Amino acid sequence: SRHSRARDLFSVSSFMLRHMAAQLPKFRGIWVATLTGFNAQTGKADTSSIDAYARHLEDDGAAGVFINGTSAEALSLTTEERILLAEAWKKAVDKNKKLGLIVHVGSTSVETAKHLAAHAESLGVDGISAVPPCYHKPANVDALVRFTKAVAGAAPKTPFILYHIPSFTNVYFPMKEYLTKGKPEIPTLEGVKFTHTDLLDLERCNHHPLGPFSMFSGFDQSLLPNLTIGCVSTIGISYNMLLPRYQRVMDLYAKGDLAAAAKEQQALNEWYEVIDRYGLIAVHKALLPHRGVDLGPVRLPLSDLSPEQKDKLLAELKTLEIFPDLKLKL
């Protein structure tokens, strides 16, 4: 009958939608690598700006925040500070339910990483992440799997994302091999924050037979190339200031307008080229107060921009096409 055919079509369509959803990674969109606020007098981590910070990122349309990572000077923080920051961010994102929350728990100590992972799970975060240990480094992929299995095992209900940033850790193993060996050992292994230039490895991970995996594009300056080889999510520091412009790259690519997306990426790379010369964290600490988010100074061994450097930075930024989108209240 006509009604039975309609039911059959509805059943097939529902199956196809569920199947398509099952083929998508868990995490999508733009996730902001946050910075840590420090008290200018005491030098200690300061959570007083986190509510304003969260509202700023919500207003810009972020999918979520990646806290206590490289941009947050994570390995310069004490364990107690990292716990304090995780708790403050969880409270902030819970207020409006607009932002997801991934907590980086990596450490050179597996026991510290496990402690931070268990704490993050107790908060009910959306995911945890960890860099490989970078002093006594894993000798091979098998050792990396054992380390991350121990960390992820301390948060058995929370998706785990390896943070692959070999320029900092000097751990250069192929992530395809890590996923191949890691997924059978780590049930919660969700993907990789891929902050590396090996596009072949990234493409192979995006189309891994054990996937789909959430493969976060980790370099702001190569967002578009990474989209073309399968990434649907990204984590970066520039999204603190120019998230809507990076969202435009993603939207134009999704519409099939590669030429326009490339033009957007080019304009954003001119911005990135400037700020990279001054220091990414120091630049964002200098600019965010002009967007209503004062995070204080950086922590040693990093250095803040001098007044002269700030003036020179602003002069350079004013020559860029993206300058009005920074929305600086000078």
Side-chain angles (χ1 to χ4, degrees):
S1 71
R2 184 172 59 188
H3 292 301
S4 63
R5 287 197 303 271
R7 283 196 302 270
D8 289 343
L9 285 171
F10 178 77
S11 297
V12 170
S13 298
S14 297
F15 170 79
M16 291 178 66
L17 287 171
R18 290 195 302 270
H19 178 72
M20 290 169 64
Q23 301 308 305
L24 292 173
K26 177 179 178 64
F27 295 101
R28 296 182 288 279
I30 296 180
W31 293 66
V32 180
T34 62
L35 290 82
T36 296
F38 293 109
N39 184 288
Q41 281 70 47
T42 67
K44 296 183 181 300
D46 184 354
T47 63
S48 61
S49 293
I50 287 179
D51 280 348
Y53 198 175
R55 288 194 300 272
H56 159 66
L57 299 178
E58 288 168 354
D59 291 344
D60 272 359
V65 289
F66 182 92
I67 73 163
N68 293 353
T70 304
S71 302
E73 304 173 69
L75 298 187
S76 297
L77 299 172
T78 67
T79 301
E80 292 75 19
E81 286 176 324
R82 293 171 74 173
I83 287 172
L84 180 72
L85 289 161
E87 291 174 349
W89 270 107
K90 178 59 176 168
K91 290 178 182 176
V93 302
D94 279 350
K95 288 182 178 178
N96 293 319
K97 306 290 185 183
K98 292 182 179 179
L99 296 174
L101 176 61
I102 299 172
V103 179
H104 173 254
V105 301
S107 172
T108 53
S109 163
V110 68
E111 293 303 317
T112 298
K114 286 164 59 178
H115 178 60
L116 291 169
H119 175 261
E121 178 161 282
S122 75
L123 297 177
V125 303
D126 297 293
I128 59 170
S129 182
V131 289
C134 54
Y135 189 75
H136 294 298
K137 292 182 282 290
N140 48 45
V141 171
D142 292 330
L144 178 58
V145 169
R146 290 194 297 272
F147 178 87
T148 52
K149 181 179 180 180
V151 177
K157 298 178 182 178
T158 305
F160 176 80
I161 299 148
L162 179 69
Y163 186 174
H164 182 50
I165 182 166
S167 59
F168 275 60
T169 64
N170 206 33
V171 177
Y172 278 91
F173 306 131
M175 289 297 98
K176 179 188 175 184
E177 183 183 355
Y178 170 76
L179 293 174
T180 300
K181 292 183 174 181
K183 186 59 178 177
E185 295 292 324
I186 308 169
T188 56
L189 178 56
E190 173 60 33
V192 178
K193 181 183 185 295
F194 197 96
T195 310
H196 189 28
T197 56
D198 188 344
L199 297 191
L200 173 61
D201 190 27
L202 177 56
E203 187 277 329
R204 293 291 76 199
C205 292
N206 273 321
H207 300 97
H208 198 290
L210 297 181
F213 290 106
S214 295
M215 298 299 301
F216 291 88
S217 170
F219 276 139
D220 312 355
Q221 67 270 37
S222 57
L223 174 59
L224 180 57
N226 293 347
L227 294 176
T228 68
I229 55 174
C231 289
V232 295
S233 58
T234 181
I235 298 170
I237 190 172
S238 291
Y239 311 146
N240 279 281
M241 296 299 301
L242 287 168
L243 190 149
R245 289 294 297 263
Y246 285 96
Q247 185 64 57
R248 197 179 303 172
V249 174
M250 298 186 78
D251 292 343
L252 288 167
Y253 175 74
K255 292 176 183 176
D257 194 341
L258 190 59
K263 187 176 180 181
E264 279 293 308
Q265 184 73 67
Q266 180 182 355
L268 289 163
N269 282 357
E270 290 173 352
W271 138 268
Y272 194 91
E273 187 175 29
V274 170
I275 66 173
D276 193 39
R277 283 191 279 104
Y278 287 86
L280 299 178
I281 297 174
V283 165
H284 282 83
K285 284 288 185 94
L287 295 181
L288 277 167
H290 299 293
R291 294 287 295 274
V293 183
D294 190 344
L295 298 172
V298 297
R299 175 172 280 180
L300 292 171
L302 299 184
S303 299
D304 291 301
L305 300 185
S306 68
E308 293 76 20
Q309 287 175 314
K310 289 180 183 178
D311 289 343
K312 187 178 178 183
L313 168 66
L314 282 172
E316 289 194 59
L317 292 178
K318 286 177 180 178
T319 69
L320 302 180
E321 182 268 333
I322 57 86
F323 181 74
D325 293 290
L326 291 172
K327 300 177 182 177
L328 302 179
K329 297 175 182 177
L330 299 172

